[in-house]
Every structure is written in C-alpha cells, then in structure tokens.
Amino acid sequence: MSRPLSRTRTGTRARSRYAPDSGLTTRMVGTMFLIGLLYVVLVGVLLAVLRGAWPIILIFVGGMFIAQFWFSDRIAAFSMGAREVTPEEAPELHGAVDRICALADMPKPRVAIAQSDVPNAFATGRSEKTALVCATTGLLRRLEPPELEGVLAHEMSHVAHRDVAVMTIASFLGVLAGIITRVALWGGLSRNSRSNDPIGIAIMLIPLVSAVVYALSFLLTRLLSRYRELSADRTAALLTGRPSALASALTKVTGQMARIPTEDLRKAQPYNAFYFVPAFSSKESLSRLLSSHPTLEQRLDQLARISADLARP
C-alpha cells in the first residue's frame, strides 16, 4: 500500500484524522514554557558562578541541546533494540501500520521490531518524516490482530500529536541537570571544601540548584506523560472505532508483565516514558507512584466510557 498523504493546495501537509486534543496541546505548551524557565535559571546560575567560563558553558549547553534534539530518538530506538524491518520481513506488522495510516490519513512511519519478550511498543521521532513505530516480539506473539492495531494506533497518535518530540525536549533538562550535579559533586566540592571560601560556597550551590531543577523537570514530564497516554488511548479508540480491542490489549499486556523476569523488566524501565505500558514488577509501589503512565483502571474506565458513547444511536 502506498503511503497516504493528503496535502492542501499550497502543498503543506494537512492534519491527520486523529481527533485533536486541546488539553494535550495546552499541557505541552505549558510544560515547554516551564521547562524553558528552569533552563534559564540553570544556565543563569552557571553563568553567575562561573563567570569566566561563560563561552564554554554556552557551547556545552547548546551542543548538548542540539545533540539531544537531533539524535535522541535514534539513540532511544537503538537502546531499546529496535531493528527496522521491511514488508517482506514482517508483513502482518506492516499491514497493520498501513491500515492505521489509511484511517488516519498520515504518512507511514518506519516500522521496526525489537527482540524482547517484554510485550510492548513505542514510537520515536521528531516529526512524521522521522517517525519510527516499533513492536517487541513479545507483543507480536501475544496479541490478536485487532488488539495489535489498537496498540499501533495508540503509538501513532503520539506521532500525529507531536508529543513524542515534546517529551524528548522536555526530558533534556533533567538529563543536563543530572550531569551537572555529578560533575560538581565529583570535582568541585572536593577541591572547595572551605566554608568561608566564596568560590567553594558558589560551587556548592551548583549541585543543589541542579538537583532542584532535575526534580522539577522530572515532575513536569511525568505529569505531561500521564495525560498524553490517556490522550493517545482516547484518540486511538475513536480513530479505529474499537475501544474494546485496545482495552483487551492493555489488560493482556499489563497482566503478562508479572510473568516477565525481573531482570528483563529492569532493563526496560529506563525507557518507560516511551512504552505503551510501563515495565513494572508487581511489588514496585514507589515506581508506580512516580509512573509515566496512568493506572490500568484509569485507562480502562476511559475506554469503557468511549465504548458506551460509540454504542449510542
């Protein structure tokens, strides 16, 4: 199937048929604004403390930001073991993606498979042109075709709404703050331990400010992530018209997580923000509290309401 792509008379890409979500858009804008403020505060503190090194600071921060924006999606896909596959190698997966693209009237993303028994899927990419949708072998083995389509529709909603790109940028500040904290703790504090030394006091402030910035950016991205997962469930259910298939996939995948070895779950946990369902051990209550996803009950309740609405004459 050729890639469906609608264009306006001016040649620009038209919107997909995924239902727009003003709440998601508002939260993405708000998150980026607050992340921007934290970014300014962090760079301002670095410039104030290390006045003579401002060119190095700006080059370092700017270089990391550019690298994060342009390469983070590729790094994430590589880290999660995604291998791009052709229609000949994975005809059923490509066929499901083609059907979703036709329904949504959007370009077909690259399609990949990750060799992992953890049943999951994820999407990466800065835009529709660079998007990649990946399913694990564990997911493909466990789901029926309608359930798989529901999961893929969920992941492609992230691409259509561009929240994948926003999450990538939003998570950058936390990564940067964490690096600065480690560098300051390992290097600066050991050389400036005198409490009456102005330079030592200033350098001691760097890890403190960085830690606060990291914590705030972590909370901001978690709040956005939970909402965007509900939004993707909602828009995928409306696009396919089969919320029950997505609910079945959610129930099946979440139930199977308890049977996955703890070691495999721990390897997958750093990438939970990208996954369809977070990789959690049943005993990790703290991880669930700080989860990037809403609870299974919240997701199923929303899908049940959508199913009831669609059944009304």
Side-chain angles (χ1 to χ4, degrees):
M1 183 182 293
S2 61
R3 296 185 181 186
L5 180 62
S6 62
R7 295 184 181 273
T8 63
R9 293 181 181 179
T10 60
T12 58
R13 178 72 175 88
R15 264 187 192 177
S16 73
R17 294 197 184 107
Y18 275 101
D21 191 325
S22 58
L24 178 62
T25 301
T26 301
R27 283 168 173 78
M28 287 193 297
V29 172
T31 298
M32 291 303 294
F33 176 75
L34 293 174
I35 287 289
L37 285 180
L38 290 176
Y39 192 90
V40 170
V41 169
L42 180 60
V43 174
V45 170
L46 291 176
L47 292 176
V49 173
L50 307 173
R51 295 172 186 170
W54 67 266
I56 298 176
I57 293 172
L58 293 181
I59 292 173
F60 171 73
V61 173
M64 286 200 64
F65 182 82
I66 293 172
Q68 177 77 6
F69 181 77
W70 285 102
F71 302 114
S72 61
D73 55 340
R74 302 177 196 177
I75 294 172
F78 175 79
S79 301
M80 288 183 275
R83 182 182 69 85
E84 195 168 348
V85 293
T86 65
E88 291 73 26
E89 293 175 300
E92 293 183 1
L93 180 58
H94 270 272
V97 172
D98 283 334
R99 287 189 289 275
I100 298 301
C101 288
L103 281 174
D105 191 19
M106 63 183 290
K108 184 179 179 180
R110 291 174 294 142
V111 179
I113 292 177
Q115 294 291 330
S116 172
D117 193 47
V118 179
N120 235 316
F122 63 89
T124 65
R126 303 183 311 276
S127 64
E128 290 182 350
K129 292 182 179 179
T130 62
L132 177 142
V133 174
C134 179
T136 65
T137 51
L139 185 81
L140 296 174
R141 188 171 61 253
R142 290 174 171 88
L143 296 189
E144 299 297 325
E147 296 170 336
L148 178 61
E149 287 188 21
V151 173
L152 293 174
H154 169 104
E155 294 303 326
M156 291 172 64
S157 171
H158 290 315
V159 176
H161 289 151
R162 304 182 188 277
D163 54 87
V164 168
V166 171
M167 282 296 295
T168 298
I169 297 172
S171 63
F172 164 75
L173 183 60
V175 173
L176 178 61
I179 292 173
I180 292 173
T181 301
R182 294 188 189 99
V183 171
L185 287 173
W186 292 342
L189 289 182
S190 62
R191 294 192 299 268
N192 295 278
S193 57
R194 291 179 299 173
S195 59
N196 59 346
D197 182 359
I199 297 178
I201 295 174
I203 291 181
M204 288 180 65
L205 288 176
I206 293 178
L208 177 60
V209 173
S210 299
V212 172
V213 168
Y214 175 82
L216 291 175
S217 63
F218 178 86
L219 292 175
L220 286 172
T221 52
R222 284 297 180 268
L223 291 174
L224 173 61
S225 183
R226 290 173 190 169
Y227 184 90
R228 83 184 188 112
E229 293 301 329
L230 287 173
S231 175
D233 284 347
R234 179 168 56 253
T235 53
L238 292 174
L239 179 73
T240 61
R242 290 183 292 187
S244 59
L246 182 56
S248 176
L250 273 168
T251 303
K252 187 177 293 186
V253 170
T254 304
Q256 288 292 318
M257 285 295 178
R259 303 181 182 181
I260 303 298
T262 303
E263 182 179 353
D264 293 342
L265 291 176
R266 286 177 178 171
K267 290 180 181 178
Q269 281 178 10
Y271 312 104
N272 273 345
F274 290 95
Y275 281 134
F276 170 63
V277 168
F280 280 133
S281 159
S282 59
K283 298 180 180 179
E284 291 172 324
S285 57
L286 179 60
S287 295
R288 290 183 182 277
L289 180 64
L290 301 176
S291 175
S292 56
H293 291 59
T295 64
L296 175 63
E297 291 74 18
Q298 288 175 307
R299 298 176 78 172
L300 293 180
D301 285 346
Q302 175 181 246
L303 291 172
R305 291 194 299 271
I306 294 173
S307 183
D309 290 341
L310 292 177
R312 290 173 185 168

